[in-house]
Amino acid sequence: LLLRALLRQYRNEFDAALSDLAQAAARDPANAEIWSWRSAILLVQADYAGARAACARLAPLASALLATSCNAIIDERSGKAAEAYAALSSALAGRPDADPELKLWIETRLAETALQLGRDALAERHFKAGLALGVTDGYILGAYADHLLECNRPAEVVPLLRDWERSDILLLRLALAERAAGL
């Protein structure tokens, strides 16, 4: 059920994914991954109350860092970007031993929040810190490429995405960058 929910959310079949997650939660309510994904999908649907309720279910099952990040992303999306940034950066600083994949996700969130706050240099530091973790992730590559393109730095996008032609969404960004750079 969880795997099917992830596949469905990937295809933007959010209601079906939520249904699968509800069934999975009925069978295994102590599975933190279910609540994390439920929050993420509800966040995409702008159901902040539902996302926060899923975060509340996640909190006793997950690390404090993951629980903080769950609520911080909701705060960032609902008009409390500065508070979200402060909470998330403090939580990350307190867990230097965190799993690299979680750190990557948090660095990406911090970068996007910094951009929302108009702090481009800070965002760039977070993008680079995330990429330096060595975890393969198309989302951070796309977000950083978008930032570089918006800053009229297409030549920097080309080496960043050169080996990602198999990803349609990154290939599009690479094509835009090459065109803007005259390549």
Side-chain angles (χ1 to χ4, degrees):
L1 286 169
L2 179 57
L3 182 57
R4 186 170 67 186
L6 296 180
L7 291 170
R8 285 179 163 173
Q9 72 79 32
Y10 182 76
R11 294 189 312 242
N12 295 329
E13 298 170 7
F14 299 125
D15 291 336
L18 288 171
S19 176
D20 285 342
L21 290 173
Q23 290 177 59
R27 293 180 184 180
D28 187 9
N31 185 326
E33 193 173 3
I34 292 168
W35 300 107
S36 180
W37 277 106
R38 183 167 175 77
S39 176
I41 292 169
L42 291 167
L43 185 63
V44 167
Q45 293 182 318
D47 179 353
Y48 302 131
R52 201 167 298 279
C55 289
R57 295 291 302 265
L58 172 69
L61 307 172
S63 69
L65 181 57
L66 184 57
T68 299
S69 68
C70 189
N71 283 297
I73 192 70
I74 298 166
D75 289 342
E76 182 264 328
R77 300 277 169 88
S78 59
K80 300 177 186 172
E83 295 90 337
Y85 182 88
L88 200 49
S89 60
S90 175
L92 181 60
R95 285 297 312 273
D97 61 331
D99 177 75
E101 290 184 6
L102 179 57
K103 286 170 112 175
L104 171 69
W105 188 82
I106 292 172
E107 289 289 0
T108 306
R109 299 289 81 68
L110 287 168
E112 291 180 329
T113 305
L115 287 175
Q116 185 178 346
L117 294 169
R119 301 190 60 196
D120 289 5
L122 181 60
E124 186 139 353
R125 284 199 303 271
H126 287 295
F127 281 129
K128 288 180 178 179
L131 292 170
L133 293 168
V135 178
T136 301
D137 183 74
Y139 186 84
I140 192 172
L141 290 168
Y144 188 36
D146 287 344
H147 170 65
L148 293 172
L149 289 168
E150 288 173 16
C151 292
N152 198 27
R153 295 163 52 192
E156 294 175 55
V157 174
V158 175
L160 181 69
L161 301 182
R162 181 171 292 136
D163 297 327
W164 287 87
E165 292 91 354
R166 291 180 47 194
S167 168
D168 291 345
I169 197 150
L170 296 178
L171 178 60
L172 174 61
R173 289 173 172 99
L174 177 60
L176 292 170
E178 287 178 340
R179 182 174 182 203
L183 301 174

